[in-house]
Amino acid sequence: MPTFITSDDGCRIYYETHGFGTGKPALVLINGTAQTTLNWLPTAKRLISKFQVVLYDCRGQGGSDLGSSPLGLDTHSRDLAALLVQLNIQDVRLTGLSYGGRIALEVARQYPEKIAKVMCVSTSNAPNPRREALVASWMEVLRLGGVAALGWSMVPFVFGERFLKRNYRYLAAAVQALAERNRPETISAYLLAMTANSSNVTPSPLHCPSFFLSGTDDP
């Protein structure tokens, strides 16, 4: 498994590269909450004809360790910036899903010289009572039932009705994969950090082309 070690706290971060060595523009796909590189893999395979694609697990997700640095957007941003240095890529396009979109925005704000474009999918830019209650409920489900129970509790919120009608037969396998690739203690820390840091989020101007995508079923 390809990994790199962060210089600030020695945290091991798992990553994958697809279509590298072609000289095409670089694209980083950033996971949503409790997701891993496995979730982006079908998308990555469709995009390697146009991009050099990077997938990685944020600390506290999948194959990445939790580390000792305080979890939050600033730490996630430093991790991704360090990964870009590790891979020797610049002029990068970022696409983040949900909380991954907030990471993308923070990286673009802190390291504007590295980022060419940003795309945020289903990403909120400020705390709201519904999201705070949702994350709190996920933490309680995780505590009482484990990662698989958390996965099932996320399904009706993460996926819209149209997607569920077409793909319901695959949900059990998707939840099983989530449970196999995440640890309760790291996901718990990840969710707790989302709650603790939500009040500190302030919108910042972006200095690169940006695109925000939301569906009709996206709350």
Side-chain angles (χ1 to χ4, degrees):
M1 295 199 328
T3 60
F4 83 98
I5 306 299
T6 62
S7 60
D8 51 351
D9 65 346
C11 183
R12 183 176 59 92
I13 304 293
Y14 173 78
Y15 69 92
E16 299 177 7
T17 58
H18 300 268
F20 258 54
T22 62
K24 296 172 182 175
L27 170 67
V28 180
L29 303 177
I30 309 173
N31 302 334
T33 302
Q35 295 186 335
T36 70
T37 55
L38 183 65
N39 297 91
W40 276 120
L41 191 56
T43 304
K45 290 180 177 179
R46 295 174 67 95
L47 293 175
I48 57 175
S49 62
K50 296 183 178 180
F51 298 100
Q52 300 181 90
V53 181
V54 179
L55 311 178
Y56 80 106
D57 289 336
C58 301
R59 61 171 67 205
Q61 292 182 334
S64 294
D65 295 337
L66 189 59
S68 58
S69 295
L71 274 181
L73 292 175
D74 188 60
T75 298
H76 288 307
S77 180
R78 289 199 308 271
D79 289 345
L80 180 50
L83 177 57
L84 299 181
V85 172
Q86 170 78 12
L87 297 175
N88 192 28
I89 54 176
Q90 297 189 28
D91 194 36
V92 180
R93 291 113 182 102
L94 301 180
T95 293
L97 174 65
S98 189
Y99 190 73
R102 293 172 64 189
I103 295 174
L105 292 175
E106 186 67 13
V107 174
R109 185 184 71 82
Q110 292 198 27
Y111 307 94
E113 73 283 357
K114 294 180 178 291
I115 308 305
K117 297 179 181 180
V118 171
M119 177 175 174
C120 297
V121 183
S122 305
T123 298
S124 58
N125 68 346
N128 61 75
R130 182 181 187 185
R131 192 184 71 194
E132 300 305 302
L134 183 72
V135 174
S137 70
W138 285 349
M139 292 175 63
E140 188 67 5
V141 170
L142 178 64
R143 183 182 70 85
L144 294 173
V147 179
L150 171 65
W152 279 113
S153 71
M154 287 179 161
V155 162
F157 180 82
V158 172
F159 300 115
E161 183 176 353
R162 183 178 178 184
F163 179 91
L164 290 173
K165 284 181 178 179
R166 291 182 175 182
N167 299 283
Y168 193 85
R169 62 188 181 277
Y170 302 121
L171 293 181
V175 170
Q176 181 180 355
L178 183 146
E180 291 174 350
R181 295 170 67 88
N182 285 289
R183 292 154 288 169
E185 63 274 15
T186 56
I187 291 298
S188 177
Y190 187 93
L191 293 174
L192 183 62
M194 287 178 60
T195 302
N197 290 288
S198 63
S199 60
N200 298 325
V201 176
T202 55
S204 300
L206 294 176
H207 302 286
C208 63
S210 53
F211 181 65
F212 294 80
L213 179 63
S214 180
T216 54
D217 283 348
D218 188 349

